[in-house]
Amino acid sequence: MVNLLISQSRTLLAQREAGMGVLVWLLIPLVAAVGGGLWGSWANRTRKVRSDGPELDGYARFREAMEKPRSGARGA
């Protein structure tokens, strides 16, 4: 009788462990989905609006520098 109770408790424990293993495997995609949603909302947050002024000024300086004749350049 005691042996039967011990084997039943082991079977219940094994079933419980198997059930917990399934829950852990189901939690992995759930945590990944929540993490992905949080990252997506963080990546899509409203940032301080910045005009194109500094970039366009830098491009204008670049164009001016490229259009200047090179000093000391030899003719081919």
Side-chain angles (χ1 to χ4, degrees):
M1 182 73 169
V2 173
N3 200 9
L4 180 63
L5 291 175
I6 291 173
S7 69
Q8 284 180 349
S9 66
R10 285 185 184 168
T11 304
L12 288 175
L13 184 61
Q15 288 174 352
R16 184 175 178 193
E17 288 176 2
M20 294 300 286
V22 169
L23 286 177
V24 168
W25 279 106
L26 289 175
L27 282 176
I28 291 171
L30 178 66
V31 169
V34 170
L38 289 173
W39 178 83
S41 63
W42 174 80
N44 198 26
R45 70 190 184 281
T46 305
R47 296 187 177 144
K48 187 190 304 183
V49 177
R50 194 172 112 181
S51 67
D52 291 334
E55 287 84 4
L56 292 177
D57 292 341
Y59 179 67
R61 286 193 308 269
F62 170 75
R63 275 195 353 213
E64 289 171 8
M66 294 303 289
E67 290 173 356
K68 286 182 183 177
R70 290 201 270 179
S71 61
R74 295 183 195 179

